[in-house]
Amino acid sequence: DETPLSYLPHVNNSHGYVDVRVIEQMWKDRFLWLWEHAWEECENGGEAGERVAEFIFPIVLHPDTSGMAHVIGMVERFLKWLAERGPEVEFCRYEDIAREEKEGRRRKSGKADV
């Protein structure tokens, strides 16, 4: 989300600084929408009637903005918010997720990978 956190005068869609609380809430809204719409009945490997959510929520930080003090605070708050969801949220490296996908080993863990 570098665009709303930077002012780029030569770019037509640059709108300058947006408060990080707005960006943080946007990230939370996106995650919650996925969380609420990703639940499905467990078919294999789970108990009958058990419901699991399986999705990946990638977090990519642009180097031009991620080191700013107000952005660091926003990212920290967001990661804590995700962690508060408990064991249903699993933090993974892109490399590990890509390897599992490539090898066809993505598990139905019932977790949201972040």
Side-chain angles (χ1 to χ4, degrees):
D1 289 307
E2 185 259 347
T3 306
L5 294 171
S6 295
Y7 176 64
L8 308 169
H10 61 285
V11 178
N12 291 334
N13 68 346
S14 178
H15 50 266
Y17 176 77
V18 174
D19 189 301
V20 292
R21 302 255 180 207
V22 172
I23 305 300
E24 181 181 349
Q25 187 59 51
M26 182 178 65
W27 288 0
K28 288 178 179 180
D29 290 345
R30 289 176 183 172
F31 181 88
L32 288 174
W33 188 92
L34 289 167
W35 184 263
E36 292 167 2
H37 291 84
W39 291 95
E40 57 186 45
E41 293 289 329
C42 223
E43 294 177 10
N44 298 317
E47 295 183 27
E50 183 181 18
R51 292 170 46 92
V52 297
E54 183 77 24
F55 65 93
I56 297 170
F57 188 83
I59 299 174
V60 180
L61 303 173
H62 195 282
D64 285 349
T65 55
S66 62
M68 296 178 183
H70 61 291
V71 176
I72 291 171
M74 172 192 68
V75 172
E76 182 178 34
R77 284 191 308 272
F78 183 68
L79 294 177
K80 284 181 180 179
W81 178 82
L82 288 170
E84 288 171 357
R85 299 195 75 79
E88 292 85 18
V89 173
E90 180 179 10
F91 292 88
C92 302
R93 298 180 315 160
Y94 282 97
E95 177 183 3
D96 298 331
I97 293 171
R99 183 182 308 108
E100 289 180 9
E101 287 288 344
K102 185 175 181 180
E103 295 172 358
R105 294 187 300 123
R106 287 296 297 153
R107 70 261 179 234
K108 289 288 186 186
S109 64
K111 297 179 180 181
D113 291 337
V114 177

